[in-house]
Amino acid sequence: QCPWGAPSTTSISCSLADVMSEQLAKELQLEEENAAFPEVVAAAEGPFITGENIDTSSDLMLAQMLQMEFDREYDAQLRREEKKINGDSKVSISFENYRKVHPYDSDSSEDEVDWQDTRHDPYRADKPTTTPRRGFIGKGKDITTKHDEVVCGRKNTARMENFAPEFQVGDGIGMDLKLSNQVFNALKQHAYSEERRSARLHEKKEHSTAEKAVDPKTRLLLYKMVNSGMLETITGCISTGKESVVFHAYGGNAAEDKVIPPECAIKVFKTTLNEFKNRDKYIKDDYRFKDRFSKLNPRKIIRMWAEKEMHNLTRMQNAGIPCPQVVILKKHVLVMSFIGQDQVPAPKLKDVTLSSEDMKKAYYQILNMMQQLYRECNLVHADLSEYNMLWHDGKVWLIDVSQSVEPTHPHGLEFLFRDCRNVSQFFQKGGVAEALNERELFNAVSGLNITADNEVDFQAEIEALEKMNEDHVQNHGKKLSTFSSDGDPPIYDE
């Protein structure tokens, strides 16, 4: 047969009215759906609820029956849509949230539970139910009050969510954790104290000098010095230490009673308190500040520390000892003359390489300065070492005298012996043959002829002298003018 021949069967013609019939369209759609999803349609189509055992005289019952049947048809339609969209894909979507079948419906138990339903998360713990206003639930023997141990424990666990976000409380509700009132109150108090402590640390960080930075109050003091004309400009930081930061500045010409040097050093004492916890012994027992020390808070003590360095430098300057010249003191900011030239600070004695002649010259100069500091200034440096001595213009300059005390200080002689040990060890290592040992240097500086064969006995006699002076101060209320000695200390010279 020719493939282009006429078909053997003739199509049955239908009228236009039959084609436009809605009933025909629905029947065709049902046939396609039954062919594609026979099992779903079969499961969805069930007998209509009969009224054999149900009283149909009530309109409410009839309405509920009709609504349930409508819901089933709607759910069956949703399942067909799911099957049509998902197909054989491994990732499926669910219309579970849109279904109408109620939990008590028997057909809903056959459906697979979708755990993605956000209305019921099995991994999310239910918060404890609150007791009603009357304070109890139940009747008779099953009554449970709001003071029940289990109820209170669960409520305390739920209340931990109200703590500060920084306070990690964990998932106590999910573990059905029960906290007693005592434990909950302790945790609550700890959370509040931690919150206050973090606020204090933040405030301390904002209002204190940290490393090379300056706090706003210190910056304002420096601005005022520049605006008044006392300082021309502040160039930058030249030194940092545990207790202070030193800046370089060019001096101005606006001071009426003082001659400001062309180059100045600004020593800013750090306002953080942790560096002064073990340094209060230098100022607490100093008779010049003893009456004021107990009346001040720790931050004002730092200002007193700066004031103490100013007074010690003034004494040394009046005695002619090479040291920075004091320009002005503003709270915890001390302005001094700059030891160096063209923004380059003078090197420390530990960093400079000296010839044997210069080393010997520096040793005798330091020896004379220690004697002069002890006799004329009535001071002990208390931190003398190669780190606090500068080499400039062929001579040694003393710096950092904020911790210096008088010899009548309860630990003054101990500090002097420590200074003598540092100086002797440094110059003996430097090759100065004439350098005295620490005991000989101590006697040469103080004039106390302490004769002891070893260092232990020597320090014991020093402590005895300090105890004798301390007892004198406590009994007579004034400091002892001089220690008993056989004469003035010898003056060593080149």
Side-chain angles (χ1 to χ4, degrees):
Q1 293 180 358
C2 179
W4 305 107
S8 59
T9 59
T10 58
S11 60
I12 302 173
S13 61
C14 60
S15 64
L16 181 61
D18 294 339
V19 175
M20 299 298 293
S21 173
E22 294 183 2
Q23 185 177 359
L24 179 61
K26 288 183 179 179
E27 290 177 359
L28 292 175
Q29 183 180 0
L30 273 177
E31 288 179 4
E32 292 180 0
E33 290 177 354
N34 291 336
F37 318 108
E39 69 281 351
V40 176
V41 177
E45 291 181 354
F48 188 76
I49 298 177
T50 59
E52 296 175 356
N53 300 324
I54 301 176
D55 184 14
T56 57
S57 60
S58 172
D59 294 339
L60 176 61
M61 183 60 64
L62 289 174
Q64 289 178 349
M65 293 167 60
L66 291 173
Q67 182 65 44
M68 188 175 296
E69 186 66 23
F70 176 78
D71 291 346
R72 283 177 177 171
E73 293 178 358
Y74 179 78
D75 291 343
Q77 178 67 24
L78 285 181
R79 282 193 288 270
R80 288 194 295 270
E81 290 291 334
E82 287 180 4
K83 282 283 187 179
K84 186 176 181 181
I85 294 175
N86 293 333
D88 297 333
S89 175
K90 294 182 179 180
V91 180
S92 61
I93 65 171
S94 173
F95 293 153
E96 185 72 23
N97 293 345
Y98 299 97
R99 293 182 182 175
K100 298 291 186 180
V101 176
H102 303 286
Y104 56 81
D105 191 4
S106 60
D107 290 349
S108 62
S109 60
E110 301 174 0
D111 301 332
E112 185 180 356
V113 179
D114 184 11
W115 296 118
Q116 295 179 354
D117 186 4
T118 57
R119 292 176 299 179
H120 176 68
D121 188 356
Y123 301 104
R124 179 179 297 177
D126 297 330
K127 289 191 177 181
T129 57
T130 57
T131 54
R133 236 176 178 181
R134 56 194 177 186
F136 65 94
I137 54 176
K139 291 181 180 181
K141 296 181 180 179
D142 299 330
I143 189 170
T144 302
T145 65
K146 62 181 181 180
H147 303 291
D148 184 68
E149 184 178 357
V150 177
V151 174
C152 287
R154 288 173 176 162
K155 282 185 179 179
N156 291 336
T157 305
R159 287 195 192 106
M160 287 199 303
E161 293 184 354
N162 299 328
F163 290 170
E166 299 84 10
F167 194 79
Q168 303 294 334
V169 296
D171 187 18
I173 300 178
M175 297 183 294
D176 195 18
L177 184 65
K178 304 174 187 65
L179 294 179
S180 63
N181 291 337
Q182 182 180 3
V183 174
F184 173 75
N185 291 333
L187 286 174
K188 183 179 178 181
Q189 189 65 32
H190 179 65
Y192 288 163
S193 62
E194 285 293 314
E195 188 177 359
R196 290 194 298 268
R197 189 177 72 88
S198 62
R200 285 197 305 269
L201 289 177
H202 180 72
E203 181 182 2
K204 177 181 176 182
K205 186 176 180 180
E206 291 292 329
H207 295 84
S208 63
T209 54
E211 297 181 1
K212 298 181 182 180
V214 227
D215 60 321
K217 293 183 179 179
T218 306
R219 195 178 297 114
L220 182 60
L221 289 175
L222 299 179
Y223 285 160
K224 288 182 178 180
M225 291 180 184
V226 175
N227 292 336
S228 63
M230 186 179 66
L231 298 177
E232 183 179 346
T233 180
I234 300 175
T235 57
C237 178
I238 58 175
S239 176
T240 58
K242 292 186 296 183
E243 64 178 30
S244 62
V245 182
V246 182
F247 297 92
H248 175 271
Y250 287 105
N253 50 6
E256 300 177 356
D257 54 344
K258 287 187 178 181
V259 177
I260 301 178
E263 289 187 271
C264 297
I266 306 174
K267 189 171 185 179
V268 179
F269 289 83
K270 291 183 179 179
T271 54
T272 48
L273 306 180
N274 51 353
E275 301 295 346
F276 289 86
K277 290 181 180 178
N278 54 357
R279 301 180 71 87
D280 57 351
K281 61 183 179 180
Y282 293 98
I283 193 172
K284 179 176 62 176
D285 296 324
D286 197 326
Y287 82 97
R288 296 174 293 173
F289 304 94
K290 192 172 184 179
D291 296 334
R292 297 165 53 193
F293 181 82
S294 59
K295 300 177 183 178
L296 297 179
N297 58 40
R299 294 194 178 275
K300 291 186 179 179
I301 293 175
I302 299 172
R303 299 183 186 179
M304 191 186 298
W305 194 267
E307 180 184 346
K308 185 179 180 184
E309 176 155 10
M310 181 194 67
H311 290 309
N312 293 339
L313 285 175
T314 304
R315 283 194 190 185
M316 295 168 61
Q317 185 180 349
N318 294 335
I321 299 176
C323 65
Q325 176 187 355
V326 177
V327 178
I328 194 173
L329 172 67
K330 289 290 186 180
K331 295 183 179 180
H332 60 284
V333 178
L334 180 63
V335 182
M336 307 170 289
S337 60
F338 180 69
I339 309 300
Q341 190 174 4
D342 296 334
Q343 303 185 28
V344 180
K348 298 177 182 177
L349 207 58
K350 74 175 186 68
D351 297 328
V352 69
T353 304
L354 301 177
S355 62
S356 57
E357 288 297 324
D358 288 339
M359 202 72 170
K360 182 179 178 182
K361 178 182 176 182
Y363 172 73
Y364 281 108
Q365 184 184 354
I366 291 172
L367 181 56
N368 289 332
M369 282 194 296
M370 293 178 67
Q371 293 176 341
Q372 205 173 359
L373 193 67
Y374 187 89
R375 289 193 306 151
E376 299 181 21
C377 302
N378 196 25
L379 286 176
V380 173
H381 192 282
D383 194 20
L384 188 62
S385 65
E386 61 272 17
Y387 292 88
N388 292 329
M389 294 182 287
L390 305 181
W391 182 258
H392 182 61
D393 289 341
K395 58 182 179 181
V396 180
W397 297 68
L398 293 184
I399 59 170
D400 194 8
V401 292
S402 56
Q403 72 286 332
S404 299
V405 297
E406 294 197 349
T408 53
H409 188 277
H411 304 284
L413 296 182
E414 294 180 26
F415 297 154
L416 178 61
F417 185 74
R418 187 175 62 188
D419 292 347
C420 295
R421 178 188 296 156
N422 294 336
V423 172
S424 297
Q425 291 179 355
F426 175 73
F427 283 100
Q428 284 176 358
K429 291 180 181 178
V432 179
E434 296 84 355
L436 304 174
N437 59 36
E438 56 263 23
R439 285 174 283 173
E440 295 172 347
L441 184 58
F442 179 86
N443 288 330
V445 173
S446 63
L448 302 172
N449 295 326
I450 299 178
T451 56
D453 297 335
N454 51 37
E455 186 177 339
V456 177
D457 296 339
F458 197 89
Q459 289 185 344
E461 292 193 30
I462 291 177
E463 292 177 2
L465 287 174
E466 290 178 341
K467 185 68 169 60
M468 180 174 57
N469 183 68
E470 187 175 0
D471 293 341
H472 180 86
V473 172
Q474 292 179 355
N475 295 332
H476 298 84
K478 59 182 180 179
K479 67 186 184 72
L480 196 62
S481 58
T482 55
F483 293 98
S484 57
S485 59
D486 296 339
D488 293 334
I491 302 296
Y492 285 81
D493 199 356
E494 260 184 288

